[in-house]
Amino acid sequence: MSETKARLKVGTDLTEGSIMKTLIVFAIPMILANLVQQLYNTVDLIVIGKFAGSAGTVGTGTGGELANFLTLIGMGFSGAGQVYIAQLAGAKQQEKVRRAIGTLLTLMISASVVLGVAGSLVTRPFLNLINTPAEAFEPAREYMIVTCLGMPFVFGYNAVCGILRGMGESKRPLEFVIVAAVVNVALDLLFVAVFKLGCFGTALATVLAQAASFFMALRFMYRSRVEMGFEFKAQNFKPYAEQTKVILRLGLLKAAQGALINVSMLYCSAQVNSFGLVAAAVNNIGNKITRFSNIVTTSVDTGAAAIIGQSLGAGKPERAKKTVYSALIIAMAITVINCVLALTIPRGIFRVFSDDPAVIEFGVTYMHISLITFVLAGFMGPYGAMITGDGNAVYGFIIGILDSVVLRIGISIVLAQVFDMGVLGYFYGIALGRVAPTIMSVAYFYSNRWRKRKLLSEG
C-alpha cells in the first residue's frame, strides 16, 4: 500500500463497526472532559470568591471575557482542523494528514502569539468599554494580561485535541483535561489561599495548568509520531498552501460563528442585568444549568461530526446518514430527561445554586422556558453534525448569524420592548433563537445536498 493510502494507527477507524457503539465509545471521553472542565472552572470561582472577595470574583469574570473570546477563535480553528483531518483520515491520505497537522499547529500557535500580545495591550480600553467596576478594574486587568499571554497554550492544546479527534482519538484529550484540572486546583489554592495573589494568582494557575495540558499533549504526539505519520522536524511545520487555504477558509468562518453567538449572549445578558439582581442571578444560574444539560448532547454531536467526516472521506455516505440518526436517538433521550427534570424539580435545581427565595421562584419560570431550548438543541445538534462533518462552513456561518444576531437579539428586542414582556422577553428570545437554525439544519440533511458537496479531502 502506498504512503498516501497507508492506514493511520493513532485513534480509531470510525468508518467501521456498529455506529451506535462507536459513537457512544467515542463521545464518553468528551463528555467526561467537558464535565471536568466545567467543574474546575467552578472551583476557580469558589476559591477566588472565598479568598479575594467580590472584587476578585468580578475581576476574574470580567477579566476573562477577552480570553474567552480569543479561546472561541482557537476552538473555531481547532474544529476546522478536526473536520479536515477526519475526512483525510477516512480517505487514508496520510501525506495530506501530515501536512494538515503541521499547518494547523503552525497557524494556530502563530495566531495565538499575535492575538495574545494584542489582547494584553488593550486591557484598559477593553475594560472601560464593558463598564468594569472601579474596585475590580486592576484585578481584572491583571487577570486579562496573564491569560492573554497564555493564549499559545490554549490554542496549542485545542489544536492537538482537534488533530486527535479528527483521527478518531478522544480518550487522550480527557487525560490532558484531568491534568489541567489537578494542576489548576492545586495552584489556585497555593497562589490564592496561601500566597494571597488574588486575580493574578488565579490567572497564573490557569495559564500554568493550560501549559501542563499542552505539553502533555505534545509529548503524546511526539511519542506517537511514527503511528501518526508526523515527525517532529522543522520542515513538517511548514504551512502548505493547500492545507492553509482549507484551514483558514473553514476556521475563519467557524471562529466568526462562535464569536457572533458569544457576542449575542453577552448582549442579552447585559440587557437582563438591567432588570435587577434577581433577574441577573436567574440568568447566570440558568446559563450554568443549560451548559451542564448540554454537555452530553454537545459531546455526542462533536463525536458524530468526526464519524461523519471520516465516513464521507471513506466514500460511505450511508454510514454518515445513519450516524445522524444514532446521534438523534441519544439526543432525544437526553432531551426527555432534561424536560422531565425541568418540569418536576425546577426549584430543587435552582436551590443547588441559590438560597434566595425570589431567585428560586423566578427560576421555575426560567426552567419552563428552557423546555424550548432543550427540545430545539435535541434536533439542531444531530442534524447540524452533518453540516460540520461535511465541512460546509458557509452554511454553518449563515446559521450562526441567524442564531445570534437576527433571531436571538431580534426576537429578544421585539418581545421585551415591542410586546413589553420585560426580562421574560429576553429569556424567550434566547430560547427561540434556535428555531430557524434548527429548521435549516434539518432541511439541509433531508435535501441530500451534503451528498453532492466536494469534500475538503478532495482538495
Side-chain angles (χ1 to χ4, degrees), residues 206-225:
T206 299
V207 168
L208 291 177
Q210 292 164 342
S213 62
F214 174 48
F215 287 124
M216 185 177 177
L218 276 184
R219 178 174 175 268
F220 172 76
M221 280 190 65
Y222 180 77
R223 294 181 66 178
S224 306
R225 60 193 183 279

Side-chain angles (χ1 to χ4, degrees), residues 19-62:
I19 295 173
M20 182 64 78
K21 180 180 177 181
T22 300
L23 179 57
I24 292 173
V25 170
F26 189 67
I28 284 176
M30 288 190 287
I31 294 170
L32 295 175
N34 286 328
L35 280 172
V36 171
Q37 184 100 39
Q38 289 291 337
L39 288 173
Y40 89 71
N41 286 341
T42 301
V43 171
D44 253 358
L45 290 175
I46 292 173
V47 171
I48 194 66
K50 184 173 180 61
F51 294 99
S54 297
T57 301
V58 175
T60 300
T62 306

Side-chain angles (χ1 to χ4, degrees), residues 153 177 203 219 239 265 276 283 286 301 362 367 420 422:
F153 303 128
V177 169
R219 178 174 175 268
M265 290 300 294
N283 186 56
D301 298 341
F362 200 5
M367 292 302 295
D420 200 26

